[in-house]
Amino acid sequence: MAHGPLPGAGETASEAREDNYRTGKVVGLAAVAALGGFLFGYDSAVINGAKAGVQDQFELGDNLLGIGIVVSIALLGSAVGAWFAGSLANKYGRRRVMIIAASLFFVAAIGQAVPFSVFDLMVWRFIGGAGIGVASVIAPMYIAEIAPAQLRGRLGSLQQLAIVSGIFASALGNYLILNAAKGSGNPIADPESRTEWLFGLEAWQWMFLVMVIPAAVYGLLALRIPESPRYLVGVGRDQEAQAVLEQIYVGDQNEKVDDIRSTMDLQEKPNFRQLLGNRLGLQPIVWVGILLSMFQQFVGINVIFYYSNTIWGAVGYGEEEAFRITLFTNTTNVVVTLVAISLVDRIGRRPLLLIGSAGMAASLGAMAYIFGSAPVDAAGDPVLEGAAGTTAVIAANLYVVFFGLSWGPVVWVLLGEMFPNKIRAAALAVAAAAQWIANFIVSETFPTLASISLGFAYSLYAASAAVSFFFVVKFIKETKGKTLEEMTG
């Protein structure tokens, strides 16, 4: 189905072509690419439910070299996967790299489910993390490169919707598996995630294993979608690029191919050298992308998704109650991401980021005060008495609301669209790698910070959210409604 008004007075041919797109086709292509985001969310968050079982199985301590490294080694894999994804996408194409990501997710699901020791579990988590890193680059890149300018914000937000849907699916799956194992008639273990279920596997093992299903679906669907037209032009396959564009837009797209070619240097293959500049060795736009990625993580959002069961357990909630709170939080995240999708092309990227920074700073500040001022038990954990527990849950969910409305989806939209055509793959890879390194730092340090004080940990994240507000004011340009060919850095 075609969509878009007829060209009006003063409208360029390029703008007219952008208007006349086939909505169903482009949404379908974007949805397949975003499946990588679903696996990204599932694989990164599934450890939240499996953590207690893994920790008990391998007798790991609550420190950086214990469960902390098992949780966060996937993020080092993500940084490596993201770093190489750009060069792989330029060499082999976007579609083939999606298939690579699906394969990494598939084998990692099996390996994490049946590890022989903590060391090979860490290897499989690293491999799964590499799949996450590849998906974090290739999905926003492909979506941005096939999306009309008028839809690009909403379609780019599908990546975040897929991520939070994957996180939600992991929380729901973990909860259902835990309860199915407990109701199977087998003795209930302590922790409960070590209760045996089907085929002699424990509940925590099934939490990892079910990921093989979406991984297989992602790989099969990736085989059926066309290659990115920007990649095809970049390797001199103009006729194929035009054919793909004519699946998306109505009418002859030869002029669109010329527009793309004019922004790319076909004599020089895209590589990391093109990112070099006179601002601390890199182009300013690359630094903006790196810092945007790092701020998304330094506000501490993944502490909620990786450690929430542990946090709520530490302040007095039972294991099943902690699972329910986590499930509610992840449901909230999905709902507000849908709201963000409806807003990103209306009010723009920059206003949403500013609203999110302010809201996160306030809600994180409230959490810092609640946890920091609470009395502690004999183990040094805060005890949330009376209304404090309810207030903490509300503040945590408000924090997720403000993140889900803004920094969650908008960062992926901007990373997919903000870089010029000839450096997009390499610049996005560097920015995504920086994001995963920042995520690793936050996830690896949280157990230590929490052992000092949860209030102290949340005060650091609140400060990062406040600083991110001024970063957006100073450095982020609005990209709403611009074509990719207009992105000049």
Side-chain angles (χ1 to χ4, degrees):
M1 180 180 69
H3 171 79
L6 295 173
E11 186 177 32
T12 66
S14 176
E15 289 169 334
R17 284 196 312 277
E18 288 284 351
D19 276 339
N20 292 281
Y21 50 82
R22 295 180 171 91
T23 306
K25 181 68 176 181
V26 73
V27 170
L29 296 179
V32 172
L35 270 176
F38 179 91
L39 285 155
F40 161 172
Y42 190 99
D43 194 32
S44 62
V46 68
I47 191 65
N48 192 16
K51 176 178 169 290
V54 169
Q55 189 168 5
D56 185 74
Q57 169 76 30
F58 299 109
E59 300 179 349
L60 302 172
D62 286 312
N63 51 45
L64 294 180
L65 298 178
I67 191 63
I69 190 64
V70 174
V71 171
S72 54
I73 195 169
L75 306 176
L76 292 181
S78 299
V80 172
W83 180 264
F84 288 104
S87 56
L88 289 172
N90 281 333
K91 185 173 183 179
Y92 299 111
R94 286 41 166 165
R95 191 172 68 99
R96 289 180 181 173
V97 174
M98 290 184 204
I99 296 167
I100 292 172
S103 302
L104 292 171
F105 285 123
F106 189 90
V107 298
I110 297 172
Q112 289 175 94
V114 288
F116 298 105
S117 70
V118 69
F119 299 106
D120 74 290
L121 172 62
M122 290 168 64
V123 170
W124 291 116
R125 283 193 56 72
F126 186 92
I127 291 171
I132 294 171
V134 172
S136 72
V137 171
I138 203 64
M141 183 190 306
Y142 182 87
I143 292 170
E145 291 181 346
I146 58 95
Q150 299 94 325
L151 286 182
R152 199 174 56 244
R154 280 165 282 179
L155 293 178
S157 297
L158 286 178
Q159 164 78 344
Q160 180 66 11
L161 179 62
I163 293 170
V164 299
S165 297
I167 293 170
F168 170 80
S170 74
L172 179 61
N174 289 350
Y175 181 75
L176 293 175
I177 289 168
L178 183 72
N179 281 281
K182 287 165 60 180
S184 65
N186 294 321
I188 298 176
D190 183 20
E192 294 175 347
S193 55
R194 290 215 61 192
T195 304
E196 283 192 10
W197 189 31
L198 301 176
F199 307 113
L201 297 180
E202 297 177 1
W204 70 267
Q205 295 176 283
W206 278 103
M207 292 174 187
F208 288 119
L209 189 58
V210 296
M211 191 173 66
V212 299
I213 299 171
V217 171
Y218 178 41
L220 290 172
L221 290 177
L223 288 169
R224 299 176 60 85
I225 62 174
E227 184 52 80
S228 159
R230 266 91 180 174
Y231 166 77
L232 292 170
V233 172
V235 295
R237 293 157 60 183
D238 289 11
Q239 288 187 335
E240 292 176 58
Q242 183 173 338
V244 174
L245 288 167
E246 288 171 0
Q247 293 181 44
I248 298 169
Y249 300 103
V250 176
D252 182 84
Q253 296 298 312
N254 183 62
E255 191 174 346
K256 180 65 176 173
V257 171
D258 292 340
D259 290 345
I260 297 170
R261 192 189 306 108
S262 69
T263 64
M264 307 184 79
D265 182 357
L266 299 185
Q267 302 304 311
E268 182 180 359
K269 295 295 182 184
N271 57 65
F272 288 104
R273 289 193 303 274
Q274 295 172 326
L275 307 184
L276 300 179
N278 56 9
R279 296 287 182 88
L280 299 177
L282 295 173
Q283 294 184 37
I285 190 65
V286 179
W287 278 119
V288 171
I290 289 171
L291 291 171
L292 188 70
S293 288
M294 295 180 75
F295 273 119
Q296 189 198 49
Q297 298 304 313
F298 283 155
V299 298
I301 189 63
N302 283 311
V303 165
I304 295 290
F305 297 132
Y306 300 165
Y307 291 104
S308 62
N309 283 17
T310 301
I311 295 168
W312 300 124
V315 298
Y317 290 95
E319 188 172 357
E320 189 166 339
E321 285 179 303
F323 268 89
R324 281 200 295 266
I325 294 171
T326 296
L327 185 58
F328 177 79
T329 299
N330 289 328
T331 303
T332 300
N333 200 13
V334 172
V335 172
V336 296
T337 301
L338 289 169
V339 176
I341 290 173
S342 71
L343 295 176
V344 67
D345 282 323
R346 292 184 185 179
I347 68 175
R349 288 63 158 153
R350 199 166 178 267
L352 284 177
L353 290 178
L354 292 171
I355 292 168
S357 292
M360 287 190 297
S363 52
L364 283 166
M367 292 172 70
Y369 175 77
I370 293 166
F371 285 109
S373 61
V376 296
D377 60 18
D381 293 325
V383 178
L384 301 185
E385 300 174 326
T390 302
T391 306
V393 172
I394 292 171
N397 280 282
L398 281 175
Y399 164 50
V400 171
V401 166
F402 282 110
F403 180 86
L405 281 174
S406 58
W407 282 79
V410 174
V411 167
W412 292 114
V413 172
L414 284 170
L415 290 179
E417 69 185 9
M418 66 189 286
F419 303 114
N421 272 339
K422 66 181 180 181
I423 68 166
R424 179 172 300 110
L428 209 166
V430 169
Q435 182 176 130
W436 289 112
I437 291 170
N439 192 343
F440 173 80
I441 292 169
V442 171
S443 301
E444 182 70 3
T445 58
F446 176 74
T448 300
L449 292 174
S451 69
I452 298 170
S453 165
L454 276 171
F456 175 64
Y458 283 119
S459 66
L460 291 179
Y461 306 144
S464 294
V467 174
S468 73
F469 181 93
F470 298 102
F471 169 75
V472 174
V473 170
K474 177 70 173 176
F475 295 108
I476 300 300
K477 298 177 181 178
E478 185 55 68
T479 55
K480 181 182 71 170
K482 294 183 178 180
T483 68
L484 294 187
E485 286 61 53
E486 292 176 293
M487 306 297 177
T488 60

PDB file of all heavy atoms in Angstrom, residues 309-324:
ATOM      1  N   ASN A 309      16.003  -8.476  40.541  1.00  0.00           N
ATOM      2  CA  ASN A 309      15.590  -9.526  41.462  1.00  0.00           C
ATOM      3  C   ASN A 309      16.447  -9.510  42.725  1.00  0.00           C
ATOM      4  O   ASN A 309      15.953  -9.671  43.846  1.00  0.00           O
ATOM      5  CB  ASN A 309      15.700 -10.898  40.788  1.00  0.00           C
ATOM      6  CG  ASN A 309      14.558 -11.158  39.824  1.00  0.00           C
ATOM      7  OD1 ASN A 309      13.856 -10.233  39.418  1.00  0.00           O
ATOM      8  ND2 ASN A 309      14.374 -12.406  39.437  1.00  0.00           N
ATOM      9  N   THR A 310      17.746  -9.307  42.536  1.00  0.00           N
ATOM     10  CA  THR A 310      18.664  -9.260  43.678  1.00  0.00           C
ATOM     11  C   THR A 310      18.383  -8.043  44.548  1.00  0.00           C
ATOM     12  O   THR A 310      18.387  -8.127  45.781  1.00  0.00           O
ATOM     13  CB  THR A 310      20.121  -9.220  43.179  1.00  0.00           C
ATOM     14  OG1 THR A 310      20.370 -10.377  42.377  1.00  0.00           O
ATOM     15  CG2 THR A 310      21.101  -9.199  44.348  1.00  0.00           C
ATOM     16  N   ILE A 311      18.144  -6.891  43.919  1.00  0.00           N
ATOM     17  CA  ILE A 311      17.884  -5.657  44.675  1.00  0.00           C
ATOM     18  C   ILE A 311      16.647  -5.806  45.535  1.00  0.00           C
ATOM     19  O   ILE A 311      16.668  -5.535  46.746  1.00  0.00           O
ATOM     20  CB  ILE A 311      17.728  -4.455  43.716  1.00  0.00           C
ATOM     21  CG1 ILE A 311      19.038  -4.163  42.983  1.00  0.00           C
ATOM     22  CG2 ILE A 311      17.278  -3.214  44.486  1.00  0.00           C
ATOM     23  CD1 ILE A 311      18.892  -3.199  41.825  1.00  0.00           C
ATOM     24  N   TRP A 312      15.540  -6.268  44.924  1.00  0.00           N
ATOM     25  CA  TRP A 312      14.300  -6.394  45.689  1.00  0.00           C
ATOM     26  C   TRP A 312      14.405  -7.490  46.737  1.00  0.00           C
ATOM     27  O   TRP A 312      13.822  -7.381  47.829  1.00  0.00           O
ATOM     28  CB  TRP A 312      13.119  -6.629  44.753  1.00  0.00           C
ATOM     29  CG  TRP A 312      12.919  -5.518  43.771  1.00  0.00           C
ATOM     30  CD1 TRP A 312      12.886  -5.609  42.410  1.00  0.00           C
ATOM     31  CD2 TRP A 312      12.749  -4.125  44.066  1.00  0.00           C
ATOM     32  NE1 TRP A 312      12.721  -4.379  41.836  1.00  0.00           N
ATOM     33  CE2 TRP A 312      12.633  -3.441  42.830  1.00  0.00           C
ATOM     34  CE3 TRP A 312      12.708  -3.388  45.247  1.00  0.00           C
ATOM     35  CZ2 TRP A 312      12.465  -2.066  42.734  1.00  0.00           C
ATOM     36  CZ3 TRP A 312      12.541  -2.007  45.159  1.00  0.00           C
ATOM     37  CH2 TRP A 312      12.412  -1.366  43.929  1.00  0.00           C
ATOM     38  N   GLY A 313      15.158  -8.538  46.439  1.00  0.00           N
ATOM     39  CA  GLY A 313      15.390  -9.564  47.449  1.00  0.00           C
ATOM     40  C   GLY A 313      16.180  -9.034  48.631  1.00  0.00           C
ATOM     41  O   GLY A 313      15.914  -9.364  49.789  1.00  0.00           O
ATOM     42  N   ALA A 314      17.154  -8.162  48.342  1.00  0.00           N
ATOM     43  CA  ALA A 314      18.007  -7.618  49.404  1.00  0.00           C
ATOM     44  C   ALA A 314      17.251  -6.711  50.355  1.00  0.00           C
ATOM     45  O   ALA A 314      17.658  -6.537  51.513  1.00  0.00           O
ATOM     46  CB  ALA A 314      19.182  -6.870  48.784  1.00  0.00           C
ATOM     47  N   VAL A 315      16.161  -6.111  49.893  1.00  0.00           N
ATOM     48  CA  VAL A 315      15.424  -5.177  50.764  1.00  0.00           C
ATOM     49  C   VAL A 315      14.162  -5.813  51.338  1.00  0.00           C
ATOM     50  O   VAL A 315      13.282  -5.110  51.819  1.00  0.00           O
ATOM     51  CB  VAL A 315      15.090  -3.867  50.020  1.00  0.00           C
ATOM     52  CG1 VAL A 315      16.356  -3.146  49.611  1.00  0.00           C
ATOM     53  CG2 VAL A 315      14.198  -4.124  48.806  1.00  0.00           C
ATOM     54  N   GLY A 316      14.087  -7.165  51.270  1.00  0.00           N
ATOM     55  CA  GLY A 316      13.042  -7.834  52.022  1.00  0.00           C
ATOM     56  C   GLY A 316      11.975  -8.557  51.220  1.00  0.00           C
ATOM     57  O   GLY A 316      11.131  -9.243  51.806  1.00  0.00           O
ATOM     58  N   TYR A 317      11.971  -8.447  49.873  1.00  0.00           N
ATOM     59  CA  TYR A 317      10.970  -9.157  49.077  1.00  0.00           C
ATOM     60  C   TYR A 317      11.414 -10.601  48.837  1.00  0.00           C
ATOM     61  O   TYR A 317      12.604 -10.870  48.634  1.00  0.00           O
ATOM     62  CB  TYR A 317      10.743  -8.447  47.744  1.00  0.00           C
ATOM     63  CG  TYR A 317      10.034  -7.111  47.869  1.00  0.00           C
ATOM     64  CD1 TYR A 317      10.750  -5.922  47.931  1.00  0.00           C
ATOM     65  CD2 TYR A 317       8.655  -7.048  47.937  1.00  0.00           C
ATOM     66  CE1 TYR A 317      10.106  -4.689  48.050  1.00  0.00           C
ATOM     67  CE2 TYR A 317       7.991  -5.829  48.062  1.00  0.00           C
ATOM     68  CZ  TYR A 317       8.733  -4.658  48.117  1.00  0.00           C
ATOM     69  OH  TYR A 317       8.082  -3.459  48.239  1.00  0.00           O
ATOM     70  N   GLY A 318      10.462 -11.536  48.813  1.00  0.00           N
ATOM     71  CA  GLY A 318      10.777 -12.925  48.525  1.00  0.00           C
ATOM     72  C   GLY A 318      11.130 -13.124  47.063  1.00  0.00           C
ATOM     73  O   GLY A 318      10.915 -12.247  46.221  1.00  0.00           O
ATOM     74  N   GLU A 319      11.648 -14.325  46.720  1.00  0.00           N
ATOM     75  CA  GLU A 319      12.113 -14.592  45.356  1.00  0.00           C
ATOM     76  C   GLU A 319      10.979 -14.449  44.349  1.00  0.00           C
ATOM     77  O   GLU A 319      11.136 -13.819  43.297  1.00  0.00           O
ATOM     78  CB  GLU A 319      12.722 -15.992  45.275  1.00  0.00           C
ATOM     79  CG  GLU A 319      13.405 -16.279  43.944  1.00  0.00           C
ATOM     80  CD  GLU A 319      14.177 -17.598  43.934  1.00  0.00           C
ATOM     81  OE1 GLU A 319      14.244 -18.281  44.977  1.00  0.00           O
ATOM     82  OE2 GLU A 319      14.710 -17.951  42.858  1.00  0.00           O
ATOM     83  N   GLU A 320       9.802 -15.002  44.658  1.00  0.00           N
ATOM     84  CA  GLU A 320       8.692 -14.900  43.716  1.00  0.00           C
ATOM     85  C   GLU A 320       8.162 -13.469  43.634  1.00  0.00           C
ATOM     86  O   GLU A 320       7.793 -12.992  42.558  1.00  0.00           O
ATOM     87  CB  GLU A 320       7.563 -15.857  44.109  1.00  0.00           C
ATOM     88  CG  GLU A 320       6.478 -15.947  43.044  1.00  0.00           C
ATOM     89  CD  GLU A 320       5.528 -17.114  43.253  1.00  0.00           C
ATOM     90  OE1 GLU A 320       5.902 -18.067  43.955  1.00  0.00           O
ATOM     91  OE2 GLU A 320       4.418 -17.061  42.701  1.00  0.00           O
ATOM     92  N   GLU A 321       8.126 -12.752  44.768  1.00  0.00           N
ATOM     93  CA  GLU A 321       7.711 -11.342  44.752  1.00  0.00           C
ATOM     94  C   GLU A 321       8.650 -10.513  43.889  1.00  0.00           C
ATOM     95  O   GLU A 321       8.223  -9.646  43.128  1.00  0.00           O
ATOM     96  CB  GLU A 321       7.696 -10.784  46.179  1.00  0.00           C
ATOM     97  CG  GLU A 321       6.537 -11.236  47.036  1.00  0.00           C
ATOM     98  CD  GLU A 321       6.637 -10.629  48.431  1.00  0.00           C
ATOM     99  OE1 GLU A 321       7.675 -10.834  49.091  1.00  0.00           O
ATOM    100  OE2 GLU A 321       5.688  -9.945  48.846  1.00  0.00           O
ATOM    101  N   ALA A 322       9.957 -10.786  44.015  1.00  0.00           N
ATOM    102  CA  ALA A 322      10.948 -10.061  43.210  1.00  0.00           C
ATOM    103  C   ALA A 322      10.732 -10.322  41.723  1.00  0.00           C
ATOM    104  O   ALA A 322      10.834  -9.408  40.892  1.00  0.00           O
ATOM    105  CB  ALA A 322      12.366 -10.466  43.624  1.00  0.00           C
ATOM    106  N   PHE A 323      10.404 -11.567  41.354  1.00  0.00           N
ATOM    107  CA  PHE A 323      10.102 -11.902  39.960  1.00  0.00           C
ATOM    108  C   PHE A 323       8.896 -11.095  39.478  1.00  0.00           C
ATOM    109  O   PHE A 323       8.879 -10.579  38.352  1.00  0.00           O
ATOM    110  CB  PHE A 323       9.828 -13.402  39.814  1.00  0.00           C
ATOM    111  CG  PHE A 323      11.034 -14.232  39.475  1.00  0.00           C
ATOM    112  CD1 PHE A 323      11.835 -14.754  40.473  1.00  0.00           C
ATOM    113  CD2 PHE A 323      11.365 -14.483  38.161  1.00  0.00           C
ATOM    114  CE1 PHE A 323      12.949 -15.528  40.164  1.00  0.00           C
ATOM    115  CE2 PHE A 323      12.478 -15.260  37.833  1.00  0.00           C
ATOM    116  CZ  PHE A 323      13.275 -15.787  38.848  1.00  0.00           C
ATOM    117  N   ARG A 324       7.856 -10.975  40.334  1.00  0.00           N
ATOM    118  CA  ARG A 324       6.641 -10.257  39.930  1.00  0.00           C
ATOM    119  C   ARG A 324       6.916  -8.767  39.749  1.00  0.00           C
ATOM    120  O   ARG A 324       6.411  -8.148  38.800  1.00  0.00           O
ATOM    121  CB  ARG A 324       5.543 -10.478  40.967  1.00  0.00           C
ATOM    122  CG  ARG A 324       4.853 -11.821  40.838  1.00  0.00           C
ATOM    123  CD  ARG A 324       3.492 -11.805  41.526  1.00  0.00           C
ATOM    124  NE  ARG A 324       3.624 -11.613  42.966  1.00  0.00           N
ATOM    125  CZ  ARG A 324       3.668 -12.594  43.852  1.00  0.00           C
ATOM    126  NH1 ARG A 324       3.607 -13.848  43.448  1.00  0.00           N
ATOM    127  NH2 ARG A 324       3.771 -12.326  45.142  1.00  0.00           N
TER     128      ARG A 324
END
